[in-house]
Amino acid sequence: MRRGAVRDGGRDAAGDHGGLRRTLGFRDLVVYGLLFIAPMAPVGVFGTLDAKSDGAVALVYVVATVAMAFTASSYAQMVRVAPQAGSVFTYARKGLGEAPGFVAGWMAMLDYLLIPAVAYLFSGIAMEALVPEVDRWVWTAVAVVVTTLLNLWGVRAAARVGFAVLAMEIAVLLVFVVSAVVVLARDGAERDWLSPLTGDAGFSMAAVFSAVSIAVLSYLGFDAIASFAEEVTGGSRKVARAVLFCLALAGTLFVAQTYLVALLSPVSSAELAADPAAQGSAFYDAVDASVGTWLHDLVAVSKAIGAAFAALAGQAAAGRLLFAMARDRRLPRLLARTDSGVPRLALLVAAAVTMVAAVWAAQRDDGLDHLVSVVDIGALTAFVLLHASVVGWFVVRRMDGPPDWVRHLVVPVLGTAVLVAVIAEAARSAQVVGVIWFGVGLVVLSVQWGRTRTDAPGGEKGKG
């Protein structure tokens, strides 16, 4: 049955609407995943995490990496079951059924369409700081246009350019690491050497877990790798390895940079907690005070370029999600068309939605807060359905024989518990938007069901 399901998906992909081309290798998958995550993602949230965790910010990322490993494991299980575009939409359909599959795809759509808008806005803000004569919304729009053109060029071409950008980001990160080590060896640390793991004013596990609920959001994007399952040479096992490798590498980079910057920080976690306005620039302030303004500017330029290409990876994943849902008649069928192996119409629709959201937010002082407050709920809800899909496929339906109780039950249950805790800690506005989006999805699903019954033999149209 499993083999038949995969064949059906392959036949759909190669049907009247064309299919996606297999041109990506393992390195390309890792590039897309790391671009979406961004190697220096902790830069913007370091101060907040440091304050909330009582200084144990590196430990926060250790725990967050372990927590997200549960989700990565479930992705690795399901990508072997359904090596198709659509990611969690496809997996939930296999493991839970059509309706939960649609809900998973619908909730993931909220994340995939708006996370690139956040990244584009980050790029616009950084460029405005460097060239204040040009409004941020202009820079934001330019970033959308440039990366959309790259995506329309093709997934392989975008991966090549993305690799160069990722190499630049990692080079800047290495410059920071080397500079920080030199300063620490020469001048010593501002805090105790173990404080990034134990706290700088006593240890509190409750404080660490409170910060983990924010830190896990730094990892959103590694799951986009699964969206390219139909464009990979070498099979689904390569996708599974790339998901796990990308998460492990990102976690290592996050722990290393937060450990070092915590040691360099001239202010304590308590001082940051008492001054929320200083939390956003805490990473840059520590670099300024210890290394120099030149590294501050280098990191800012890297963040500006890196954010735009994080959006490129997100936009590409969003296009594949729209393509897969359209191919399965859950969205307008036109979105399932491909041109030379590229789902260009789906990409253009994703780009249009992202452009509107990003430019709107760039013209408002509170635009970034509005976007960030809603993007995460969609991804986290979809992840919960992913874990349920693993249990449904392997444990309840036993489609692959006797289940592995650790990988197919314990890991998904633990992963779900972590995600539910994070959702509970989310901002109330984000929870409200998530509920509204979920409700709209149920309405769309009920309309589709009504049309299916009407069009079916024996339905109203059939009788007419």
Side-chain angles (χ1 to χ4, degrees), residues 35-37 108-124 139-141 143-145 147-148 151 220-221 224 304-322 347 349-359 361 368 371-372 374-376 379:
L35 274 177
F36 203 169
I37 293 174
M109 197 189 309
L110 183 65
D111 165 46
Y112 279 16
L113 290 176
L114 292 185
I115 273 190
V118 173
Y120 284 128
L121 183 52
F122 273 131
S123 182
W139 289 117
T140 300
V144 175
V145 171
T147 53
T148 299
N151 271 326
L220 295 186
I305 299 173
F309 280 83
L312 174 143
Q315 185 192 90
R320 270 70 185 174
L321 176 61
L322 296 179
L347 285 169
V349 170
V353 174
T354 299
M355 171 77 87
V356 171
V359 171
L368 181 60
L371 280 181
V372 171
V374 302
V375 297
D376 305 316

Side-chain angles (χ1 to χ4, degrees), residues 71-91:
T71 298
S73 174
S74 287
Y75 264 105
Q77 297 304 311
M78 292 307 295
V79 76
R80 296 186 178 110
V81 170
Q84 301 163 33
S87 186
V88 68
F89 162 69
T90 303
Y91 307 152

Side-chain angles (χ1 to χ4, degrees), residues 54-139:
D54 295 336
V57 63
L59 179 62
V60 167
Y61 273 108
V62 171
V63 175
T65 302
V66 173
M68 291 310 296
F70 297 130
T71 298
S73 174
S74 287
Y75 264 105
Q77 297 304 311
M78 292 307 295
V79 76
R80 296 186 178 110
V81 170
Q84 301 163 33
S87 186
V88 68
F89 162 69
T90 303
Y91 307 152
R93 286 181 66 229
K94 297 291 186 184
L96 301 174
E98 292 292 336
F102 173 82
V103 171
W106 184 260
M107 297 306 294
M109 197 189 309
L110 183 65
D111 165 46
Y112 279 16
L113 290 176
L114 292 185
I115 273 190
V118 173
Y120 284 128
L121 183 52
F122 273 131
S123 182
I125 291 171
M127 287 304 299
E128 184 185 43
L130 295 170
V131 188
E133 295 81 10
V134 180
D135 289 339
R136 71 176 64 173
W137 75 265
V138 176
W139 289 117

Side-chain angles (χ1 to χ4, degrees), residues 287-459:
V287 171
D288 260 347
S290 58
V291 180
T293 305
W294 67 270
L295 184 55
H296 175 172
D297 293 341
L298 184 62
V299 170
V301 171
S302 174
K303 284 292 289 180
I305 299 173
F309 280 83
L312 174 143
Q315 185 192 90
R320 270 70 185 174
L321 176 61
L322 296 179
F323 165 83
M325 293 184 73
R327 186 175 61 189
D328 290 313
R329 301 182 185 277
R330 293 302 183 182
L331 290 177
R333 189 68 167 167
L334 281 174
L335 295 176
R337 295 190 181 279
T338 59
D339 180 12
S340 300
V342 179
R344 289 196 169 94
L345 184 56
L347 285 169
L348 285 172
V349 170
V353 174
T354 299
M355 171 77 87
V356 171
V359 171
W360 170 83
Q363 294 177 308
R364 296 173 57 97
D365 291 336
D366 60 351
L368 181 60
D369 290 338
H370 278 294
L371 280 181
V372 171
S373 67
V374 302
V375 297
D376 305 316
I377 290 296
L380 298 175
T381 306
F383 288 170
V384 169
L385 288 170
L386 164 73
H387 288 303
S389 302
V390 173
V391 177
W393 181 269
F394 291 100
V395 177
V396 177
R397 300 173 64 188
R398 302 206 173 195
M399 300 301 288
D400 276 14
D404 180 321
W405 294 104
V406 173
R407 289 185 300 169
H408 301 151
L409 183 62
V410 175
V411 168
V413 169
L414 291 176
T416 299
V418 170
L419 295 170
V420 169
V422 174
I423 292 172
E425 290 286 337
R428 180 61 58 87
S429 60
Q431 294 172 343
V432 170
V433 171
V435 170
I436 293 173
W437 183 254
F438 178 78
V440 172
L442 292 182
V443 171
V444 173
L445 182 61
S446 65
V447 170
Q448 291 180 348
W449 275 355
R451 288 177 178 172
T452 300
R453 287 196 298 269
T454 301
D455 292 343

Side-chain angles (χ1 to χ4, degrees), residues 139-195:
W139 289 117
T140 300
V142 169
V144 175
V145 171
V146 171
T147 53
T148 299
L149 290 174
L150 280 171
N151 271 326
L152 292 175
W153 191 6
V155 67
R156 181 63 176 159
R160 289 195 188 103
V161 178
F163 178 75
V165 172
L166 181 62
M168 176 211 66
E169 290 187 85
I170 292 177
V172 171
L173 180 56
L174 289 176
V175 170
F176 161 73
V177 170
V178 171
S179 301
V181 169
V182 169
V183 169
L184 290 170
R186 184 186 64 205
D187 302 329
E190 294 286 343
R191 302 183 187 179
D192 183 82
W193 288 92
L194 289 179
S195 64

